[in-house]
Amino acid sequence: MALDDDTRRGPEVSLLTGLDMSHITLCPAIAFNKIVGGRYKLHILCVLHRGPQRFGEIGRSLVKGGLGKPVTPRILSRELKGMTEMGLLHRKEYPVVPKKVEYSLAPRGKALLPILSEIVRWGATGAHEDILEISQTGQ
Amino acid sequence: MALDDDTRRGPEVSLLTGLDMSHITLCPAIAFNKIVGGRYKLHILCVLHRGPQRFGEIGRSLVKGGLGKPVTPRILSRELKGMTEMGLLHRKEYPVVPKKVEYSLAPRGKALLPILSEIVRWGATGAHEDILEISQTGQ
DNA sequence: CTGCATCCTTTGGGATACTG
DNA sequence: CAGTATCCCAAAGGATGCAG
């Protein structure tokens, strides 16, 4: 009973990808949630994909596709700090006044872009809007 | 200033995919989190990808790649119910005793598999383990 | 076996005000 | 402009026990 679980450790091959996962112990799906889980992290990657942006810019960008409410600076700060510490983002501070800080995708953040592409591709079909329509009326 | 934001509404094309997103209002990344966010949903899709499984089987499967602790039935029940209501899963109840219920991927759930593949592909590089190593000691 | 009821703890997210 | 501090609320997750 090999190939029993894509997420289990052991000498086996992923049914989804055909890749050997024997060297991996933690389920990528779970790790993915721990790394970019939460309301904003994925969206931040999405926004920074176009290029470096400043703290305030990111905050404003998050409002656009996020339907409505602005992100409070505390939350945004925490997200950016966490993602920077995980090595997903790069933070560049300019010694000017008023202060200027630019965030950009670090290699580890860029490595997530193929996943993001697939999510956008999925979203382009309207699937996500269909699902959210029925489950609850807009959150 | 078209192409300003992959996640914004309006007549534009995704920079990530080249797809027209003008008919979409909600950012796929945000919707993705709302739909499969949380600790188990993605993993459940992963597990059911191989075929229908029963309540208890799913619970046991989740332990394997999830590092350690078992899922309490209350949580698993809530996740499965939610995912079924969103149309991601199909629930088939057999009129036998003891009770037997099989969950399987519905079309809407299968539509998420390409994303899952990309996540596994990303995980196969070991990226997720690297990231989680540095940020916190396993948790 | 499947799943609900209760209760509790932890985490995430938000409002507001304030500083370098 | 780029954050931090404080306080608060809601949601997610977990332990335990019970029921069809």
Side-chain angles (χ1 to χ4, degrees):
Chain A
M1 60 167 284
L3 303 181
D4 179 38
D5 188 345
D6 263 8
T7 64
R8 198 187 49 182
R9 76 213 61 176
E12 58 189 69
V13 164
S14 163
L15 286 176
L16 274 163
T17 61
L19 294 172
D20 173 42
M21 301 296 283
S22 56
H23 47 118
I24 301 299
T25 58
L26 178 61
C27 170
I30 293 189
F32 182 79
N33 264 315
K34 295 180 74 156
I35 292 169
V36 292
R39 199 108 128 222
Y40 299 107
K41 295 201 186 70
L42 259 186
H43 199 172
I44 289 173
L45 290 178
C46 209
V47 159
L48 287 182
H49 153 252
R50 292 193 311 277
Q53 284 203 44
R54 304 177 57 172
F55 186 88
E57 288 177 312
I58 297 174
R60 284 185 295 276
S61 294
L62 291 186
V63 182
K64 292 197 252 174
L67 286 195
K69 31 195 155 186
V71 204
T72 70
R74 192 184 81 90
I75 304 298
L76 182 56
S77 174
R78 195 187 32 172
E79 299 292 273
L80 291 174
K81 180 182 288 184
M83 294 173 74
T84 302
E85 281 167 358
M86 286 189 292
L88 302 181
L89 304 185
H90 180 240
R91 179 183 184 277
K92 178 163 189 186
E93 188 171 349
Y94 294 87
V96 297
V97 47
K99 208 172 185 179
K100 172 176 172 177
V101 179
E102 262 186 4
Y103 291 90
S104 55
L105 291 185
R108 278 182 177 166
K110 287 181 184 164
L112 289 163
L113 291 182
I115 301 174
L116 214 47
S117 292
E118 212 52 56
I119 291 175
V120 171
R121 210 179 300 279
W122 163 77
T125 67
H128 62 302
E129 299 191 336
D130 293 343
I131 293 174
L132 291 179
E133 261 172 37
I134 60 168
S135 64
Q136 30 193 4
T137 326
Q139 182 218 42
Chain B
M1 60 164 279
L3 303 180
D4 179 37
D5 188 344
D6 263 9
T7 64
R8 199 186 48 181
R9 76 214 60 177
E12 59 189 69
V13 164
S14 163
L15 286 176
L16 275 163
T17 60
L19 295 173
D20 173 42
M21 300 296 282
S22 57
H23 47 117
I24 301 300
T25 58
L26 180 60
C27 170
I30 293 190
F32 182 79
N33 265 314
K34 296 180 74 157
I35 292 169
V36 292
R39 199 108 126 222
Y40 299 106
K41 295 201 185 70
L42 258 186
H43 199 173
I44 289 173
L45 290 178
C46 209
V47 159
L48 287 182
H49 154 251
R50 292 192 312 274
Q53 284 203 43
R54 303 178 56 173
F55 187 88
E57 289 177 310
I58 298 175
R60 285 185 294 277
S61 293
L62 290 188
V63 183
K64 292 197 251 174
L67 286 194
K69 30 195 153 184
V71 204
T72 69
R74 191 185 81 89
I75 304 297
L76 182 56
S77 175
R78 198 188 30 172
E79 299 292 274
L80 291 173
K81 179 183 288 186
M83 293 174 75
T84 302
E85 281 168 357
M86 288 189 291
L88 301 181
L89 304 184
H90 180 238
R91 178 183 185 278
K92 177 163 188 185
E93 189 170 348
Y94 293 87
V96 297
V97 46
K99 206 171 185 178
K100 171 177 173 179
V101 179
E102 262 185 4
Y103 291 90
S104 54
L105 292 186
R108 279 181 176 165
K110 287 180 183 165
L112 289 163
L113 291 182
I115 301 175
L116 215 47
S117 292
E118 211 53 56
I119 291 175
V120 171
R121 210 180 302 278
W122 163 77
T125 67
H128 62 303
E129 299 190 337
D130 293 343
I131 293 174
L132 291 178
E133 262 174 34
I134 60 168
S135 65
Q136 31 191 4
T137 325
Q139 185 222 55

